[in-house]
Amino acid sequence: MTYYIAPRFLHKLSVHITKNFLDLPGVRVPLILGIHGHKGEGKSFQCELVFDLMGVEPIHVSAGELESPDAGDPARMIRLRYREAADYIRTNGKMAVLMINDLDAGAGRVDGATQYTVNTQLINATLMNIADNPTNVQLPGSYDSEPLPRVPIIVTGNDFGTLYAPLVRDGRMDKFYWQPTREDKIGIVSGIFEPDGLSKAEIEQLVDRFAKQSVDFFGALRSQIYDEQILSFIQNVGFNRVGSQVVNSKEKPTFQKPDFSLSHLMAQGDLMVKEQRQLEEMRLASRYNRALHESQAPRIEASVPAPTPAPKSSNGYTQSQPVQKTENHQHSNGNGTATNLSEDVLGQLRSLISQGYRIGLEHVDARRFRTGSWASCATVQTQDEKEAIAALEACLSEHNNEYVRLFGIDPGAKRRVLETIIQRPEG
C-alpha cells in the first residue's frame, strides 16, 4: 500500500520540528505544536508518515495515560518521557519528539459534568512549565544541572477549546487545524486502493460520492469488502472450527482478490452510511446518559403544584415532582402509611424494588451540581418498601434545598440503572 503525505501537513510539521532544533537568535519558538480537527482525518497517521520520512524518533504518550488513581503520576510520566526523548537525541545524535495523542480527551473539560482532577491540573501545569523551560525538566526528588536538548512536543486532538487556555496561548503552542482538501483525500484514498487497480477517475468518483466522510471511512470500506469472503470461509470450515484454522494452523487461509469494482465499493459505502445514520437517529445516549438527562430535564418548582401530568424524562420514567411539604399533599403509600412522596416517585421506587434492584440515593448542592460531584445519601439494601420509603424521605428532608436523585443498583452486574432527579433546589 502506498501512503500519501499531504503537502500542507508535511510542511507544517517539518518546519515546527526543524525550527525547534535550530538556534535562531532573538526568536522565541513555541515548543508545542497542536494539531486539531475532526475525528478520523488521519492526524496521528500523517504524523507517523512525516516522522518516518524525516527519520524522527517519536516517544509516545496516549490520553489513557493522563489519569491515575495516584495523584501526580501522569505529570511525572510526561517529564520522564520528555527526558527519555532528550536522552535519545543526546546519545544517538538524531531528532526525537514527544508525541501526545488525543490530549483533549485526557486533559480537556468537555462539559460541566467532566471531572477536573488533580492530575488534570498537574498535566496542564507540567506542559506549560516544559514549554517555558524546555532545557530544564527535572524529575521529582532529583536535580540534574546539565541542560537537556530541546525536544519538540506534538499533540493531537479534536477540540483544543476544551484545554486550559494558558496552555494553548501563542508562544507555548503553535496551532494547526487539519482538514484534508479534496485533493488531499484523493491522494490518500488513491494510496489506500493502490493495490486494487482503481483508476484516478474512479477514485475521484468514490471520493465525491462520499465527500462528507472522513479519511478513515475509506480504509474501513476497503476492509469491509473482504467480509463476504471471510463469512464464506467461516461457513465452509464450520463455526466451531474457526479457531483451529486461524490460530493453531500452520497454513493460514488465503483469499482471492475481492470485487473492487467502483459499483461494488459504492454499494458497500452506502450500507456503511446507512449504519451511521441509524446510529445518529437512535440517540440512545439521550436515554442512558445521566449528564444529558440532567441537562434536558425540565425544572419543576416545589411551591407550585403541576396543573398537568409531569413531563416524561428521557429514560422513559416520569420526572417526579419535588417533595411537597404541606399536609394536604400527603397520601397513602398503599400499606396504610402516609407519605409525602409523589405517585411518580413511589412508582419508580416500587418498580426498582420489584425488579430486585437495590435503591441508591445521592445529593448535591447547586454549586457542585455543575461539576457532577454527587455525594452518597443512602443505599437501601432491604427489599422492604416501607424501609425504602423511610430512607428516601429522610434523605429528602435532610437535603431539602439540594438536588436529590434516585437510582437502582443491579447487584449482579454491579451497575446503576434508571437514574432520575427527584428533587431540585428552590429559587
Side-chain angles (χ1 to χ4, degrees):
M1 187 178 294
T2 303
Y3 297 119
Y4 170 89
I5 305 177
R8 187 163 57 95
F9 201 104
L10 173 62
H11 296 164
K12 184 67 177 181
L13 191 53
S14 61
V15 167
H16 178 79
I17 293 172
T18 305
K19 189 163 62 171
N20 270 280
F21 284 97
L22 296 177
D23 184 13
L24 301 175
V27 177
R28 181 176 176 83
V29 179
L31 186 74
I32 306 173
L33 173 62
I35 304 173
H36 60 115
H38 293 285
K39 63 183 186 300
E41 297 293 8
K43 296 180 288 293
S44 298
F45 188 62
Q46 287 282 304
C47 286
E48 295 294 337
L49 295 179
V50 175
F51 297 155
D52 287 343
L53 180 63
M54 297 182 65
V56 174
E57 178 69 19
I59 305 299
H60 288 283
V61 176
S62 71
E65 296 178 281
L66 300 182
E67 191 54 78
S68 170
D70 299 319
D73 270 3
R76 190 181 303 110
M77 179 267 299
I78 290 175
R79 291 178 177 273
L80 187 62
R81 300 272 173 90
Y82 185 92
R83 290 183 63 90
E84 180 183 341
D87 186 62
Y88 179 89
I89 295 170
R90 187 158 45 198
T91 57
N92 293 278
K94 296 180 180 180
M95 293 188 294
V97 299
L98 181 63
M99 177 78 179
I100 305 178
N101 287 302
D102 305 310
L103 177 63
D104 55 334
R109 299 197 72 185
V110 179
D111 53 33
T114 306
Q115 293 284 350
Y116 197 73
T117 66
V118 173
N119 280 323
T120 310
Q121 293 176 304
L122 292 177
I123 288 165
N124 283 287
T126 297
L127 287 174
M128 289 192 296
N129 177 254
I130 293 175
D132 294 340
N133 304 280
T135 62
N136 184 22
V137 178
Q138 306 295 335
L139 293 175
S142 64
Y143 183 78
D144 184 3
S145 59
E146 183 178 356
L148 296 173
R150 188 182 177 101
V151 179
I153 299 177
I154 313 297
V155 300
T156 65
N158 299 122
D159 184 4
F160 284 167
T162 64
L163 296 175
Y164 186 52
L167 174 61
V168 299
R169 71 165 173 81
D170 296 330
R172 285 187 177 133
M173 181 184 291
D174 191 9
K175 277 77 68 179
F176 175 51
Y177 177 69
W178 170 239
Q179 183 174 13
T181 63
R182 179 177 180 273
E183 290 70 26
D184 292 330
K185 282 190 175 182
I186 290 172
I188 295 171
V189 175
S190 296
I192 292 173
F193 290 98
E194 190 271 338
D196 307 317
L198 272 68
S199 66
K200 183 178 180 181
E202 290 175 322
I203 293 293
E204 290 178 353
Q205 291 181 58
L206 187 64
V207 169
D208 291 338
R209 174 67 171 268
F210 303 106
K212 295 183 179 180
Q213 297 297 327
S214 66
V215 168
D216 280 356
F217 172 86
F218 298 97
L221 173 59
R222 185 175 189 274
S223 174
Q224 188 153 316
I225 297 298
Y226 283 87
D227 288 2
E228 296 171 356
Q229 288 194 33
I230 294 173
L231 178 59
S232 177
F233 162 76
I234 294 172
Q235 292 172 336
N236 288 336
V237 302
F239 287 89
N240 60 332
R241 298 182 62 242
V242 172
S244 61
Q245 293 290 319
V246 300
V247 178
N248 297 321
S249 176
K250 294 181 179 180
E251 296 182 3
K252 298 295 184 181
T254 58
F255 301 95
Q256 295 181 351
K257 184 177 180 180
D259 178 12
F260 280 105
S261 64
L262 181 62
S263 59
H264 191 213
L265 287 170
M266 287 187 172
Q268 291 297 317
D270 288 337
L271 291 176
M272 292 174 62
V273 172
K274 183 179 179 181
E275 290 294 334
Q276 291 177 355
R277 290 173 179 167
Q278 184 76 6
L279 180 68
E280 294 169 356
E281 291 169 2
M282 287 293 290
R283 306 301 295 174
L284 289 177
S286 63
R287 297 178 60 187
Y288 305 141
N289 187 284
R290 180 189 70 212
L292 186 60
H293 166 61
E294 292 171 355
S295 66
Q296 292 180 346
R299 180 177 176 83
I300 305 172
E301 297 295 339
S303 58
V304 182
T308 58
K312 295 287 184 180
S313 69
S314 56
N315 63 10
Y317 282 84
T318 302
Q319 176 66 49
S320 57
Q321 300 288 338
V323 174
Q324 305 296 326
K325 302 299 181 183
T326 55
E327 289 296 323
N328 59 348
H329 287 287
Q330 286 191 346
H331 52 82
S332 173
N333 64 10
N335 294 321
T337 303
T339 175
N340 287 323
L341 300 180
S342 70
E343 286 291 349
D344 298 321
V345 177
L346 283 173
Q348 181 167 349
L349 187 67
R350 289 165 179 158
S351 175
L352 292 170
I353 292 175
S354 67
Q355 296 178 67
Y357 296 136
R358 296 172 184 169
I359 305 301
L361 298 167
E362 290 180 330
H363 67 94
V364 67
D365 59 26
R367 181 176 65 86
R368 290 187 174 88
F369 177 76
R370 292 191 293 271
T371 61
S373 301
W374 292 80
S376 177
C377 186
T379 300
V380 182
Q381 304 289 344
T382 179
Q383 294 295 298
D384 184 271
E385 183 180 316
K386 288 184 179 180
E387 292 185 27
I389 290 174
L392 179 52
E393 288 184 326
C395 179
L396 292 168
S397 175
E398 184 178 354
H399 307 284
N400 61 358
N401 199 31
E402 296 185 7
Y403 293 90
V404 175
R405 69 181 176 197
L406 168 70
F407 57 90
I409 303 172
D410 186 339
K414 292 182 172 59
R415 63 182 178 89
R416 298 186 178 202
V417 295
L418 303 174
E419 294 182 350
T420 305
I421 295 180
I422 60 174
Q423 176 175 282
R424 293 174 178 271
E426 301 178 6

